[in-house]
Coordinates of all heavy atoms in Angstrom, one line a residue:
T263 N 5.4 77.1 -16.1 CA 5.5 76.0 -15.1 C 5.5 76.7 -13.5 O 4.8 76.3 -12.6 CB 6.7 75.2 -15.2 OG1 6.5 74.4 -16.4 CG2 7.0 74.4 -14.0
P264 N 6.2 77.8 -13.4 CA 6.2 78.4 -12.1 C 4.8 78.8 -11.6 O 4.4 78.7 -10.5 CB 7.1 79.7 -12.2 CG 8.0 79.3 -13.3 CD 7.2 78.5 -14.3
M265 N 4.0 79.4 -12.5 CA 2.7 79.8 -12.2 C 1.8 78.6 -12.0 O 0.9 78.5 -11.0 CB 2.0 80.6 -13.5 CG 0.7 81.2 -13.1 SD 0.7 82.5 -12.1 CE 1.5 83.8 -13.1
L266 N 2.0 77.5 -12.8 CA 1.3 76.3 -12.6 C 1.6 75.7 -11.1 O 0.7 75.2 -10.5 CB 1.7 75.3 -13.7 CG 1.2 73.8 -13.5 CD1 -0.4 73.8 -13.5 CD2 1.7 72.9 -14.6
A267 N 2.9 75.7 -10.7 CA 3.3 75.2 -9.4 C 2.5 75.8 -8.3 O 2.1 75.3 -7.3 CB 4.8 75.3 -9.2
L268 N 2.5 77.3 -8.4 CA 1.9 78.0 -7.5 C 0.4 77.7 -7.3 O -0.2 77.7 -6.3 CB 2.1 79.5 -7.7 CG 1.5 80.6 -6.8 CD1 1.9 80.3 -5.3 CD2 1.8 82.0 -7.2
C269 N -0.3 77.6 -8.6 CA -1.7 77.2 -8.7 C -1.9 75.9 -8.1 O -3.0 75.9 -7.4 CB -2.0 77.3 -10.2 SG -3.8 77.4 -10.5
I270 N -1.1 75.0 -8.1 CA -1.3 73.6 -7.7 C -1.4 73.8 -6.1 O -2.2 73.1 -5.5 CB -0.2 72.7 -8.0 CG1 -0.4 72.2 -9.5 CG2 -0.2 71.4 -7.1 CD1 0.8 71.5 -10.1
I271 N -0.4 74.5 -5.5 CA -0.4 74.7 -4.0 C -1.7 75.3 -3.6 O -2.3 74.8 -2.7 CB 0.8 75.5 -3.6 CG1 2.2 74.8 -3.9 CG2 0.7 75.9 -2.1 CD1 3.3 75.7 -3.6
I272 N -2.2 76.4 -4.2 CA -3.4 77.0 -3.7 C -4.6 76.2 -4.0 O -5.4 76.1 -3.1 CB -3.5 78.4 -4.4 CG1 -2.3 79.4 -4.1 CG2 -4.8 79.0 -4.1 CD1 -2.3 80.6 -4.9
N273 N -4.5 75.5 -5.1 CA -5.8 74.7 -5.5 C -5.8 73.4 -4.7 O -6.9 72.7 -4.8 CB -5.8 74.4 -7.0 CG -6.5 75.5 -7.7 OD1 -7.6 75.6 -7.8 ND2 -5.7 76.5 -8.3
N274 N -4.8 73.0 -4.0 CA -5.0 71.9 -3.2 C -5.4 72.2 -1.7 O -5.9 71.3 -0.9 CB -3.6 71.2 -3.0 CG -3.4 70.0 -4.1 OD1 -3.7 70.2 -5.2 ND2 -3.0 68.9 -3.6
V275 N -5.4 73.4 -1.4 CA -5.8 73.8 0.0 C -7.3 74.3 -0.2 O -8.1 73.9 0.6 CB -5.0 75.0 0.5 CG1 -5.6 75.5 1.8 CG2 -3.6 74.5 0.8
Q276 N -7.6 75.1 -1.3 CA -8.9 75.6 -1.4 C -10.1 74.6 -1.6 O -11.1 74.8 -0.8 CB -8.9 76.5 -2.8 CG -10.3 77.1 -3.0 CD -11.1 76.2 -3.9 OE1 -10.6 75.4 -4.8 NE2 -12.4 76.3 -3.8
P277 N -9.9 73.4 -2.3 CA -11.0 72.4 -2.2 C -11.2 71.8 -0.8 O -12.4 71.4 -0.6 CB -10.4 71.4 -3.2 CG -9.5 72.0 -4.1 CD -8.8 73.0 -3.2
V278 N -10.3 71.7 -0.1 CA -10.3 71.1 1.2 C -11.3 72.1 2.1 O -12.2 71.7 2.8 CB -9.0 71.0 2.1 CG1 -9.2 70.6 3.5 CG2 -8.2 70.0 1.4
L279 N -11.0 73.4 2.0 CA -11.9 74.4 2.7 C -13.3 74.4 2.1 O -14.3 74.4 2.9 CB -11.3 75.8 2.5 CG -9.8 76.0 3.1 CD1 -9.4 77.4 2.8 CD2 -9.8 75.6 4.4
S280 N -13.4 74.1 0.8 CA -14.7 74.0 0.3 C -15.5 72.8 0.8 O -16.7 72.8 1.0 CB -14.7 73.9 -1.3 OG -14.1 75.1 -1.9
G281 N -14.7 71.7 0.9 CA -15.2 70.4 1.5 C -15.8 70.6 2.9 O -16.9 70.1 3.2
V282 N -15.1 71.5 3.7 CA -15.6 71.8 5.1 C -16.8 72.5 4.9 O -17.8 72.2 5.7 CB -14.6 72.7 5.8 CG1 -15.1 73.0 7.1 CG2 -13.2 71.9 6.0
A283 N -17.0 73.6 4.0 CA -18.2 74.3 3.8 C -19.4 73.4 3.4 O -20.5 73.6 3.9 CB -17.9 75.4 2.8
V284 N -19.1 72.5 2.5 CA -20.1 71.5 2.1 C -20.6 70.6 3.2 O -21.8 70.5 3.4 CB -19.7 70.7 0.8 CG1 -20.6 69.6 0.6 CG2 -19.5 71.6 -0.4
G285 N -19.6 70.1 3.9 CA -19.9 69.2 5.1 C -20.8 69.9 6.1 O -21.7 69.3 6.7
A286 N -20.6 71.1 6.2 CA -21.4 72.0 7.3 C -22.7 72.4 6.6 O -23.4 73.0 7.4 CB -20.5 73.1 7.7
G287 N -22.9 72.3 5.3 CA -24.1 72.8 4.8 C -24.1 74.2 4.3 O -25.2 74.8 4.3
W288 N -23.0 74.8 3.9 CA -22.9 76.2 3.6 C -23.0 76.4 2.0 O -22.3 77.3 1.6 CB -21.6 76.8 4.1 CG -21.4 76.7 5.6 CD1 -22.3 76.4 6.5 CD2 -20.2 76.8 6.2 NE1 -21.8 76.5 7.7 CE2 -20.5 76.6 7.6 CE3 -18.8 77.2 5.9 CZ2 -19.4 76.8 8.6 CZ3 -17.9 77.2 6.8 CH2 -18.1 77.1 8.2
Q289 N -23.5 75.4 1.2 CA -23.5 75.6 -0.2 C -24.0 76.8 -0.7 O -23.3 77.4 -1.7 CB -24.4 74.4 -0.8 CG -23.6 73.0 -0.8 CD -24.1 72.2 0.4 OE1 -24.4 72.9 1.5 NE2 -23.9 70.9 0.3
A290 N -25.0 77.5 -0.2 CA -25.5 78.7 -0.8 C -24.5 79.8 -0.5 O -24.2 80.5 -1.5 CB -26.9 79.0 -0.1
I291 N -24.0 79.9 0.6 CA -22.8 80.9 0.9 C -21.7 80.7 0.0 O -21.1 81.6 -0.6 CB -22.5 80.9 2.4 CG1 -23.7 81.2 3.3 CG2 -21.4 81.9 2.7 CD1 -23.5 81.2 4.8
L292 N -21.3 79.5 -0.1 CA -20.1 79.1 -1.0 C -20.3 79.5 -2.4 O -19.3 80.0 -3.0 CB -19.8 77.6 -0.9 CG -18.6 77.0 -1.5 CD1 -17.3 77.7 -0.9 CD2 -18.6 75.5 -1.4
A293 N -21.5 79.3 -2.9 CA -21.8 79.7 -4.3 C -21.6 81.2 -4.4 O -21.0 81.6 -5.5 CB -23.2 79.3 -4.6
Y294 N -22.0 82.0 -3.6 CA -21.9 83.4 -3.6 C -20.4 83.8 -3.5 O -20.0 84.7 -4.2 CB -22.7 84.1 -2.5 CG -24.2 84.1 -2.8 CD1 -25.2 83.5 -1.9 CD2 -24.8 84.6 -4.0 CE1 -26.5 83.4 -2.1 CE2 -26.1 84.6 -4.3 CZ -27.0 84.0 -3.3 OH -28.3 84.0 -3.5
V295 N -19.7 83.2 -2.6 CA -18.3 83.4 -2.5 C -17.5 83.2 -3.8 O -16.7 83.9 -4.3 CB -17.7 82.7 -1.3 CG1 -16.1 82.8 -1.3 CG2 -18.3 83.2 0.0
N296 N -17.9 81.9 -4.4 CA -17.3 81.5 -5.7 C -17.5 82.5 -6.8 O -16.6 82.9 -7.5 CB -17.8 80.2 -6.0 CG -17.2 79.1 -5.2 OD1 -16.3 79.3 -4.4 ND2 -17.7 78.0 -5.4
I297 N -18.8 82.9 -6.9 CA -19.2 84.0 -8.0 C -18.5 85.3 -7.7 O -17.8 85.8 -8.7 CB -20.7 84.1 -8.0 CG1 -21.4 83.0 -8.4 CG2 -21.0 85.3 -8.9 CD1 -22.9 82.9 -8.4
A298 N -18.4 85.7 -6.5 CA -17.7 87.0 -6.2 C -16.2 87.0 -6.4 O -15.6 87.9 -7.2 CB -18.1 87.5 -4.8
C299 N -15.5 86.0 -5.9 CA -14.2 85.9 -6.0 C -13.6 85.5 -7.4 O -12.7 86.0 -7.9 CB -13.6 84.8 -5.0 SG -13.9 85.3 -3.3
Y300 N -14.3 84.6 -8.1 CA -13.9 84.2 -9.4 C -14.4 85.0 -10.6 O -13.5 85.6 -11.4 CB -14.5 82.8 -9.7 CG -14.0 81.6 -8.9 CD1 -14.6 80.4 -8.9 CD2 -12.8 81.8 -8.1 CE1 -14.1 79.4 -8.1 CE2 -12.3 80.8 -7.4 CZ -12.9 79.6 -7.3 OH -12.5 78.5 -6.5
Y301 N -15.6 85.3 -10.6 CA -16.1 86.1 -11.9 C -16.2 87.5 -11.7 O -16.3 88.2 -12.7 CB -17.5 85.4 -12.2 CG -17.5 84.0 -12.5 CD1 -17.7 83.0 -11.6 CD2 -16.9 83.5 -13.7 CE1 -17.6 81.6 -11.7 CE2 -16.8 82.1 -14.0 CZ -17.1 81.2 -13.0 OH -17.0 79.9 -13.3
I302 N -16.4 88.0 -10.5 CA -16.5 89.4 -10.3 C -15.1 90.0 -10.0 O -14.8 91.1 -10.4 CB -17.5 89.8 -9.1 CG1 -18.9 89.3 -9.5 CG2 -17.4 91.2 -8.8 CD1 -19.9 89.6 -8.3
F303 N -14.3 89.2 -9.3 CA -12.9 89.8 -9.1 C -11.8 89.2 -10.0 O -11.1 89.9 -10.6 CB -12.6 89.5 -7.5 CG -11.2 89.9 -7.2 CD1 -10.9 91.2 -7.0 CD2 -10.2 89.0 -7.0 CE1 -9.6 91.6 -6.6 CE2 -8.9 89.4 -6.7 CZ -8.6 90.7 -6.5
G304 N -11.8 87.9 -10.0 CA -10.6 87.2 -10.6 C -10.5 87.3 -12.2 O -9.4 87.9 -12.6

Side-chain angles (χ1 to χ4, degrees):
T263 295
M265 187 73 72
L266 174 61
L268 179 60
C269 200
I270 287 172
I271 293 175
I272 297 173
N273 273 278
N274 264 48
V275 174
Q276 179 271 330
V278 176
L279 301 178
S280 295
V282 176
V284 169
W288 303 341
Q289 280 92 337
I291 298 174
L292 184 61
Y294 289 120
V295 170
N296 286 351
I297 291 172
C299 295
Y300 291 165
Y301 299 100
I302 297 178
F303 176 77

